[in-house]
């Protein structure tokens, strides 16, 4: 590629003309995979718009997490079963494995990931591989490797192969000095978790690759996501999922956040809908690379009251986890998502009562629910 050759030649000349008088050891490095053509500062995306293309060929990394399986189901219904490949480093259950294409993919293995993109003619990549907030704090080196090094691999490959790339961000990308009620798209971001730091890094790197190389990068800051399809995975907002499982199984729930800790939340169907909508949005409609999205905001005590309408005998206690509480206290209480609603027509479907009713409709075949009703 001309750009890579020019860069290599310039580096060689620089090393040969070094004026320090010391020997310079040249080691092999992996060049950033960029589009071979020059990208003007006012260039539009080099991915064709959805309306002008055939169905995209999709790869989802970290696909066995909370969102990947649901996203694959939605995209397969829209684009065809064989056009959406789910990937992870873990072994899938039988129902996931036989529901559509699945492949082993380690985002820290650059060569393997690149081969998957090339061999399967991938055009859209959803990058969900990440360690969440509380888990990341318990293993910072691993979080740094997965959340940052893995991202770099994905960015390089996406730029090299002209992919449309989606990387989710989070309420955790904000910190205690950010405005919290509401939190706008553009403001001070100084998170105090490795998860939050890695997500700010992802937002900025994605924007840089867009403006520097023309990468079609799109990003949404998710609130806490509530789903009946997966178990809690170590996130600070996972209490809002755990309460439903505990209400059904034991009738007792211990919350690890203070009862008045207000955070933005969203039902998974709204989250997946927003993700697809922003990926299909025309390039000219997007005024920014990263958007807040929101649906509702509530505190544990408000969720408990709504859950007890379905399970009146639910017993709730509070045993505050200092790490999770400190994280939650640094996060937004409400998201301002007016830009998403204006630019590409974002609109949520689920509020708190409908969320709780829907969760119990999926999980509520248990006899405890039947007796409560």
């Amino acid at each position: 590629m001309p750009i890579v050759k020019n860069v290599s030649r310039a580096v060689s000349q620089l090393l040969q003309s070094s004026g320090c008088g010391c020997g310079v050891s040249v080691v092999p490095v992996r060049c950033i995979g960029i589009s071979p053509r020059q990208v003007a500062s006012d260039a539009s995306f080099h991915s064709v718009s959805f309306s002008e293309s055939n169905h995209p060929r999709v790869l989802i990394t970290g696909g066995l997490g909370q969102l990947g399986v649901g996203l694959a189901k939605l995209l397969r219904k829209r684009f065809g079963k064989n056009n959406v490949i789910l990937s992870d480093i873990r072994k899938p259950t039988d129902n996931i494995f036989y529901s559509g294409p699945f492949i082993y993919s380690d985002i820290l293995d650059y060569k393997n990931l690149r081969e998957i993109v090339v061999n399967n003619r991938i055009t859209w990549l959803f990058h969900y591989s990440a360690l969440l907030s509380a888990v990341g704090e318990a293993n910072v080196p691993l979080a740094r490797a997965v959340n940052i090094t893995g991202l770099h691999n994905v960015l390089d490959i996406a730029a090299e192969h002209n992919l449309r790339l989606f990387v989710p961000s989070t309420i955790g990308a904000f910190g205690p000095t950010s405005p919290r009620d509401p939190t706008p798209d553009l403001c001070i971001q100084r998170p105090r978790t490795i998860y939050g730091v890695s997500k700010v890094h992802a937002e900025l790197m994605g924007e840089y690759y867009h403006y520097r190389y023309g990468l079609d990068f799109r990003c949404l800051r998710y609130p806490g996501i509530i789903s009946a399809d997966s178990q809690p995975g170590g996130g600070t907002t996972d209490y809002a999922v755990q309460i439903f499982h505990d209400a059904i199984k034991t009738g007792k729930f211990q919350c690890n956040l203070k009862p008045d800790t207000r955070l933005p939340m969203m039902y998974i169907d709204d989250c997946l809908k927003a993700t697809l909508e922003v990926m299909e949005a025309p390039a000219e409609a997007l005024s920014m690379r990263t958007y807040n999205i929101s649906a509702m905001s509530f505190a544990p005590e408000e969720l408990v009251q709504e859950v007890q309408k379905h399970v009146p005998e639910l017993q709730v206690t509070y045993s505050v986890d200092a790490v999770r509480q400190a994280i939650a206290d640094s996060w937004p209480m409400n998201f301002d998502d007016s830009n998403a609603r204006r630019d590409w027509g974002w609109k949520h479907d689920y509020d708190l009562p409908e969320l709780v009713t829907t969760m119990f409709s999926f999980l509520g075949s248990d006899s405890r629910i039947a007796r409560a009703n």
Side-chain angles (χ1 to χ4, degrees), residues 22-52:
C22 58
V24 179
S25 175
V26 179
V27 297
V29 296
R30 192 183 79 227
C31 293
I32 295 177
I34 57 176
S35 173
R37 56 179 175 269
Q38 297 281 354
V39 180
S41 59
D42 60 347
S44 60
F45 297 119
H46 49 53
S47 293
V48 295
S49 68
F50 174 72
S51 61
E52 298 171 344

Side-chain angles (χ1 to χ4, degrees), residues 35-293:
S35 173
R37 56 179 175 269
Q38 297 281 354
V39 180
S41 59
D42 60 347
S44 60
F45 297 119
H46 49 53
S47 293
V48 295
S49 68
F50 174 72
S51 61
E52 298 171 344
S53 69
N54 296 322
H55 287 330
R57 292 279 297 171
V58 179
L59 175 67
I60 304 172
T61 66
L64 296 184
Q66 183 186 25
L67 298 173
V69 174
L71 180 65
K73 183 178 179 180
L74 176 65
L75 297 180
R76 284 167 179 166
K77 185 178 296 185
R78 186 163 183 82
F79 301 134
K81 176 179 177 180
N82 293 324
N83 284 322
V84 181
I85 300 174
L86 201 61
S87 73
D88 210 302
I89 60 172
R90 294 181 290 153
K91 182 180 179 181
T93 60
D94 286 347
N95 66 305
I96 292 176
F97 184 78
Y98 291 109
S99 65
F102 181 90
I103 195 168
Y104 173 89
S105 175
D106 181 356
I107 60 166
L108 298 180
D109 186 339
Y110 177 85
K111 181 179 178 181
N112 169 251
L113 185 61
R114 194 166 183 259
E115 288 175 348
I116 291 171
V117 168
V118 171
N119 291 342
N120 293 282
R121 298 179 296 111
I122 299 300
T123 57
W124 284 16
L125 197 159
F126 293 83
H127 178 55
Y128 279 111
S129 297
L131 263 65
L132 301 182
S133 54
V135 175
E137 291 307 290
N139 194 338
V140 172
L142 181 61
R144 188 174 62 230
V146 173
N147 295 11
I148 296 179
T149 303
L151 170 78
H152 292 176
N153 289 341
V154 168
L155 285 170
D156 285 357
I157 291 168
E160 180 181 2
H161 297 285
N162 298 348
L163 307 186
R164 180 171 295 187
L165 174 64
F166 178 84
V167 178
S169 190
T170 167
I171 55 175
F174 298 98
T177 55
S178 304
R180 298 184 65 209
D181 189 16
T183 303
D185 284 301
L186 300 176
C187 65
I188 294 173
Q189 291 178 256
R190 291 294 184 273
R192 293 182 178 176
T193 66
I194 185 61
Y195 177 58
V197 169
S198 69
K199 287 302 183 181
V200 174
H201 179 78
E203 293 175 13
L204 295 178
M205 286 295 289
E207 291 183 19
Y208 173 76
Y209 269 60
H210 167 65
Y211 291 114
R212 179 67 177 84
Y213 303 121
L215 174 65
D216 191 346
F217 172 81
R218 306 183 182 204
C219 177
L220 296 178
R221 293 193 188 103
Y222 291 156
I225 304 301
I226 301 174
S227 167
D229 295 329
S230 60
Q231 293 292 327
T236 300
T237 59
D238 277 354
Y239 83 87
V241 177
Q242 189 68 53
I243 188 173
F244 294 99
H245 293 278
D246 290 355
I248 291 173
K249 292 177 181 178
T250 67
K252 298 179 180 180
F253 172 63
Q254 185 177 86
C255 184
N256 51 34
L257 295 181
K258 295 178 182 178
D260 60 349
T261 306
R262 180 172 298 277
L263 294 168
M265 298 284 188
M266 178 178 286
Y267 184 58
I268 188 170
D269 284 10
D270 274 340
C271 175
L272 298 179
K273 182 183 77 166
T275 302
L276 178 57
E277 286 179 356
V278 77
M279 283 294 277
E280 290 186 331
E284 60 272 15
L286 304 179
S287 64
M288 55 186 65
R289 303 292 91 223
T290 300
Y291 289 90
N292 293 342
I293 54 167

